[in-house]
């Protein structure tokens, strides 16, 4: 019998890539998503790649009653991966209560339902934003967390604390929090990828939309940082590598191989890349000369951050496989593919 994994937010960017990898690993995937920031047709893509169409239940995780009746029908779930959340940093500053309600109420509802129905394994989407600007680089999991710079970031910090306390209370639930660095790219088939609504906030979709002609030019936020070339530095990892880490985390929890009730892992490449290096990589793989202009720094931007992924490398046996160039190429292939259709 296939083991069942619930993926909340499974029609979203990282969720859909993870659904593919879970199905490839032989799991039975069930998705809950309210389609707030994604589309049902993503299921067609997942089916095209894997040959399997996951079950989708469309409702809001803040709806305690709906979630309760879902778990009553699905108490055989072996593990939950919780992606569903609001994620726009700037928007969270304008709408803090919506962010706290959505991200925290849904998390509490899920953990309560898991306890009630004795579903023991939980994987949480966390973020490198919890580190703020680290004093030492690369940053390890034991680095002190900094006060969050946005309500969004705070929901990830508080979320981790809620999970830790829940695990510590009675050890009924075991959990892994995965702190993502900067996920980019798309499935190599170009059948699924990132679908940002409106003007993209993130660098890579902005680059690909500029190259295809939807945006006039990329605004590069600052070139006077204390870094080798003056541009901000991030750790960009391919979304398929990131998706695979979730499969490893689920295997670890289901197999009882976790060493503590609550574990935290950095997911990154370990390599810092500047905005200009990211642009050069895109230009190289696409053959396009990108239109960009250096403008003021973006408020709230961290100067430089990249992961020390050695804990994930040794403990999970997980390591990123794709280079920056490969990740950029998949992002570009995806952009060309979606524009061809519409
Ligand atoms: C990357 C670099 C920008 C856009 C992300 C997520 C956030 C959190 C942490 C998950 C920065 C520069 C960008 C543009 C630019 N992730 N840039 N022009 O800020 O690292 O945050 O990771 O929880 O939710 O958004 O990613 O892609 O926005 O920026 O120059 O138009 O690109 O200044 O240096 P960031 P990003």
């Amino acid at each position: 019998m296939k083991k069942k994994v619930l993926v909340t937010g499974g029609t979203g960017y990282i969720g859909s890539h993870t659904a593919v990898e879970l199905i490839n690993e032989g799991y039975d995937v069930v998705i809950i998503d309210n389609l707030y920031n994604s589309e049902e047709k993503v299921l067609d893509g997942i089916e095209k790649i894997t040959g399997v169409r996951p079950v989708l239940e469309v409702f809001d995780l803040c709806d305690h009653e709906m979630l309760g009746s879902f778990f009553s029908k699905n108490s055989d779930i072996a593990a939950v991966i919780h992606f569903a959340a609001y994620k726009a940093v700037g928007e969270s500053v304008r709408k803090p209560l919506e962010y706290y309600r959505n991200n925290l109420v849904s998390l509490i509802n899920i953990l309560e339902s898991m306890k009630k129905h004795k579903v023991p394994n939980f994987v949480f989407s966390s973020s490198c934003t919890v580190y703020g600007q680290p004093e030492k680089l690369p940053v390890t999991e034991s680095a002190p967390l900094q006060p969050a710079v946005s309500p969004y970031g705070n929901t990830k910090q508080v979320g981790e604390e809620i999970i830790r306390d829940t695990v510590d209370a009675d050890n009924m639930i075991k959990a892994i929090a995965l702190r993502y660095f900067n996920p980019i790219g798309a499935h190599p088939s170009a059948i699924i990828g990132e679908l940002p609504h409106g003007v993209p906030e993130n660098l890579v979709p902005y680059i690909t939309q500029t190259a295809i002609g939807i945006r006039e030019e990329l605004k590069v936020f600052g070139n006077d940082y204390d870094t080798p070339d003056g541009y901000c530095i991030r750790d960009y990892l391919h979304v398929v590598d990131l998706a695979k880490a979730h499969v490893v985390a689920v295997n670890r929890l289901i197999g009882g191989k976790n060493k503590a009730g609550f574990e935290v892992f950095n997911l990154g490449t370990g390599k810092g890349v500047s905005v200009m290096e990211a642009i050069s990589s895109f230009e190289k793989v696409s053959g396009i000369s990108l239109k960009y202009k250096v403008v003021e720094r973006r408020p709230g931007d961290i100067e430089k951050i990249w992961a020390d992924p050695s804990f994930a490398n040794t403990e999970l046996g997980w390591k990123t496989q794709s280079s920056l160039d490969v990740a950029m190429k998949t992002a570009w292939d995806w952009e060309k593919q979606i524009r061809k259709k519409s």
Side-chain angles (χ1 to χ4, degrees):
M1 236 320 247
K2 285 185 176 178
K3 290 212 159 64
K4 200 190 269 187
V5 177
L6 167 62
V7 181
T8 76
T11 50
Y13 174 44
I14 307 173
S16 57
H17 288 83
T18 300
V20 164
E21 297 307 320
L22 287 165
I23 293 168
N24 287 344
E25 180 82 0
Y27 285 109
D28 186 9
V29 171
V30 182
I31 294 172
I32 300 176
D33 204 305
N34 65 358
L35 304 178
Y36 167 80
N37 197 23
S38 61
E39 284 160 36
E40 192 166 351
K41 67 171 190 242
V42 170
L43 294 184
D44 300 339
I46 297 172
E47 185 176 9
K48 208 163 165 196
I49 296 169
T50 63
V52 177
R53 191 176 186 86
V55 170
L56 168 68
E57 300 264 357
V58 181
F59 65 89
D60 197 314
L61 294 164
C62 291
D63 187 334
H64 197 263
E65 236 169 80
M66 286 291 284
L67 194 58
S69 73
F70 171 85
F71 269 94
S72 299
K73 285 182 285 170
N74 293 278
S75 55
D76 57 338
I77 286 170
V80 176
I81 308 181
H82 181 45
F83 292 104
Y86 292 165
K87 60 165 189 174
V89 175
E91 183 185 58
S92 78
V93 176
R94 295 190 303 275
K95 303 176 178 172
L97 293 176
E98 287 180 31
Y99 270 69
Y100 286 118
R101 170 178 291 281
N102 185 62
N103 291 6
L104 298 181
V105 172
S106 59
L107 173 64
I108 293 167
N109 281 350
I110 289 168
L111 292 170
E112 279 180 348
S113 293
M114 288 175 66
K115 282 190 77 144
K116 184 163 173 209
H117 294 276
K118 305 207 167 8
V119 174
N121 301 309
F122 187 70
V123 178
F124 181 60
S125 284
S126 191
S127 164
C128 68
T129 46
V130 299
Y131 297 119
Q133 176 60 67
E135 272 174 27
K136 277 195 227 139
L137 286 166
V139 65
T140 66
E141 291 82 355
S142 57
L145 305 192
Q146 312 260 4
V149 290
S150 69
Y152 161 75
N154 208 23
T155 66
K156 292 299 173 189
Q157 287 197 5
V158 175
E160 284 195 13
E161 284 171 20
I162 290 171
I163 298 162
R164 188 189 305 275
D165 290 345
T166 305
V167 169
D168 286 351
D170 53 15
N171 267 312
M172 201 244 102
I173 290 176
K174 298 173 292 169
I176 293 179
L178 300 174
R179 291 180 180 159
Y180 313 153
F181 283 68
N182 288 53
I184 61 163
H187 195 268
S189 63
I191 293 171
I192 56 171
E194 193 171 5
L195 271 177
H197 287 177
V199 182
E201 300 246 356
N202 297 117
L203 179 65
V204 173
Y206 211 106
I207 289 178
T208 56
Q209 289 195 8
T210 303
I212 209 123
I214 299 173
R215 310 282 156 210
E216 189 162 344
E217 65 184 356
L218 171 73
K219 289 172 198 65
V220 174
F221 300 132
N223 64 352
D224 56 353
Y225 284 98
D226 182 19
T227 58
D229 64 7
Y231 297 91
C232 282
I233 296 179
R234 296 288 184 275
D235 185 338
Y236 299 95
L237 76 160
H238 191 198
V239 67
V240 172
D241 283 331
L242 181 62
K244 286 180 176 163
H246 293 76
V247 177
V248 176
V250 163
N251 288 345
R252 179 176 177 90
L253 289 169
I254 291 178
K257 295 195 202 84
N258 55 309
K259 300 225 170 101
F262 179 58
E263 296 179 314
V264 175
F265 294 95
N266 280 346
L267 298 181
T269 66
K271 194 169 175 284
V273 167
S274 77
V275 174
M276 198 42 65
E277 288 170 328
I279 292 171
S280 303
S281 164
F282 175 79
E283 290 185 322
K284 185 169 80 184
V285 300
S286 66
I288 286 175
S289 171
L290 192 74
K291 260 187 96 183
Y292 66 84
K293 176 170 80 182
V294 177
V295 298
E296 288 292 291
R297 292 181 177 196
R298 180 171 67 177
D301 255 342
I302 301 296
E303 182 170 81
K304 50 190 166 202
I305 184 164
W306 62 97
D308 179 341
S310 44
F311 189 48
N313 297 163
T314 53
E315 268 302 310
L316 297 180
W318 170 90
K319 207 173 185 318
T320 55
Q321 304 290 324
S322 291
S323 65
L324 177 65
D325 288 352
V326 167
M328 280 290 181
K329 168 134 194 342
T330 61
W332 181 229
D333 288 346
W334 164 245
E335 185 72 59
K336 287 187 289 187
Q337 150 76 10
I338 43 175
R339 301 308 156 191
K340 204 166 53 192
K341 275 191 184 159
S342 56

